[in-house]
């Protein structure tokens, strides 16, 4: 067994890990290859990290695969990514089922091409009774899009008289986010040495522990996940309180 894995305290794992899978393009460029080559290899990392998370008993894993801003990339890259998404889902859906993994998607699905939407819908349906790891793909997602959407829907309900303004609280807002069924991530990992959030779960990451690594996404494997988890387990999560309060409970 991996030495790092042995060191992990299995009773202090995050329930929800969120990852910004970054660095595919640079990884490929460094090898003299096209950016799509990097995305292609990034799928191997996805497979490994999903497997590693399931083995650890992590309940929720959110992977940022495509942001609303990524639509502005060169057309060939966007099309390449969509095709990769569809072929990957088609290939992996059986093994998701075998491993009791339930697929979810968050994001502006209306932006996706019809063939991608169809493939996704089928995979969501196919895995919906699974009770193990919840694998949440953030696709055509951005935190600002999500918040705007929530605000609009809340306003609509108020206008229709279904919701009272005075009754709106944080639970109401939470209910209108696309992550309403999931707990907030305790740990957010970003690969490839970039230190920013890039419009990822802006609301949900309020108290997440952030972990940054220089490793490019196509090189990120279970061992790297274990390193992140060990780092997480050395943090003191204070939630606004003092260290003394947290230690003595
Ligand atoms: C992350 O890798 C994957 C997506 C955003 C789809 P990038 O494609 O951003 O790779 P870099 O950051 O250019 O190296
Ligand atoms: C963030 O990566 C989005 C995903 C990983 C899907 P980007 O590579 O698009 O982020 P920026 O543009 O460098 O901030
Ligand atoms: Mg990038």
């Amino acid at each position: 067994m991996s030495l790092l894995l042995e060191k992990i305290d299995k009773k202090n794992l995050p329930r929800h890990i969120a990852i910004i899978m970054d660095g595919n393009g640079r990884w490929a460029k460094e090898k003299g290859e096209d950016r799509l080559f990097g995305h292609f290899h990034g799928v191997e990392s996805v497979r490994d990290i999903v497997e590693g998370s399931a083995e650890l008993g992590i309940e929720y894993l959110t992977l940022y695969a495509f942001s609303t801003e990524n639509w502005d990339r060169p057309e060939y890259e966007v099309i390449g990514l969509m095709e990769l998404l569809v072929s990957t889902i088609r290939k992996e859906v059986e093994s998701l089922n075998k491993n009791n993994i339930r697929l979810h998607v968050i994001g502006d699905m209306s932006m996706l091409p019809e063939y991608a939407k169809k493939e996704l819908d089928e995979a969501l349906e196919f895995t919906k009774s699974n009770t193990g790891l919840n694998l949440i793909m953030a696709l055509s997602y951005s935190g600002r899009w999500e918040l705007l959407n929530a605000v609009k829907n809340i306003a609509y309900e108020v206008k229709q008289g279904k919701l009272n303004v005075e009754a709106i609280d944080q639970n109401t807002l939470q209910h209108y986010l696309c992550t309403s069924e999931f707990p907030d991530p305790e740990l957010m990992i970003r690969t490839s040495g970039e230190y920013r959030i890039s419009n990822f779960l802006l609301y949900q990451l309020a108290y997440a522990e952030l972990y940054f690594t220089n490793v490019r996404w196509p090189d990120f494997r279970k061992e790297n996940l274990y390193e992140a988890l060990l780092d997480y387990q050395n943090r003191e999560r204070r939630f606004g309180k003092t260290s003394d309060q947290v230690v003595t409970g």
Side-chain angles (χ1 to χ4, degrees):
M1 190 167 46
S2 145
L3 275 173
L4 287 174
L5 180 56
E6 277 175 49
K7 284 195 205 147
I8 294 175
D9 174 2
K10 307 298 181 304
K11 288 190 285 298
N12 180 24
L13 288 168
R15 290 183 70 196
H16 187 171
I17 302 173
I19 306 182
I20 302 180
M21 310 185 287
D22 198 14
N24 295 352
R26 277 163 287 160
W27 183 88
K29 279 266 138 82
E30 282 152 14
K31 295 186 154 39
E33 301 281 352
D34 185 80
R35 296 177 57 83
L36 285 176
F37 182 76
H39 297 316
F40 190 74
H41 279 275
V43 176
E44 286 162 31
S45 304
V46 172
R47 211 175 281 130
D48 202 56
I49 296 313
V50 168
E51 187 181 281
S53 303
E55 285 163 358
L56 280 164
I58 301 294
E59 293 172 71
Y60 302 88
L61 175 68
T62 299
L63 300 178
Y64 202 7
F66 196 86
S67 71
T68 46
E69 286 76 23
N70 288 148
W71 290 113
D72 295 330
R73 289 195 178 189
E75 198 184 352
Y76 95 95
E77 184 172 346
V78 171
I79 293 174
L81 278 165
M82 289 302 136
E83 284 172 357
L84 184 62
L85 169 76
V86 169
S87 66
T88 304
I89 289 173
R90 196 167 292 161
K91 254 189 263 163
E92 299 297 324
V93 75
E94 287 289 344
S95 103
L96 290 181
N97 250 358
K98 222 179 349 186
N99 294 301
N100 199 20
I101 297 169
R102 179 169 179 188
L103 185 70
H104 305 261
V105 280
I106 55 172
D108 185 0
M109 290 306 116
S110 71
M111 293 284 287
L112 291 179
E114 228 21 77
Y115 69 94
K117 253 188 280 185
K118 190 166 161 279
E119 196 70 37
L120 271 170
D121 282 342
E122 281 171 17
L124 294 178
E125 183 63 28
F126 200 56
T127 64
K128 75 169 186 216
S129 312
N130 294 338
T131 54
L133 174 72
N134 288 285
L135 173 60
I136 303 146
M137 298 301 293
L139 272 177
S140 187
Y141 172 88
S142 74
R144 287 186 176 180
W145 165 82
E146 178 185 43
L147 289 168
L148 179 65
N149 216 30
V151 169
K152 269 193 192 161
N153 285 326
I154 291 172
Y156 194 63
E157 300 280 281
V158 169
K159 194 172 152 195
Q160 289 196 317
K162 292 186 189 155
L163 193 62
N164 198 330
V165 173
E166 280 70 38
I168 297 174
D169 58 12
Q170 291 196 11
N171 287 329
T172 320
L173 183 50
Q174 159 77 15
H175 176 77
Y176 285 87
L177 300 176
C178 16
T179 53
S180 58
E181 301 167 63
F182 319 126
D184 289 343
E186 294 94 333
L187 173 63
M188 196 287 285
I189 299 171
R190 183 170 191 153
T191 59
S192 90
E194 305 295 347
Y195 300 86
R196 52 180 177 269
I197 302 287
S198 299
N199 222 343
F200 197 29
L201 307 162
L202 293 178
Y203 185 85
Q204 298 86 339
L205 293 177
Y207 261 107
E209 296 298 328
L210 308 181
Y211 179 86
F212 299 95
T213 170
N214 288 329
V215 176
R216 308 265 195 245
W217 179 251
D219 287 330
F220 195 86
R221 288 292 181 276
K222 286 179 197 176
E223 289 292 308
N224 305 99
L225 177 68
Y226 302 155
E227 271 169 29
L229 285 167
L230 284 168
D231 194 278
Y232 165 82
Q233 294 188 331
N234 280 320
R235 313 266 183 105
E236 183 176 64
R237 307 193 70 212
R238 289 191 284 271
F239 300 99
K241 296 188 176 153
T242 66
S243 183
D244 285 349
Q245 284 177 297
V246 176
V247 174
T248 55

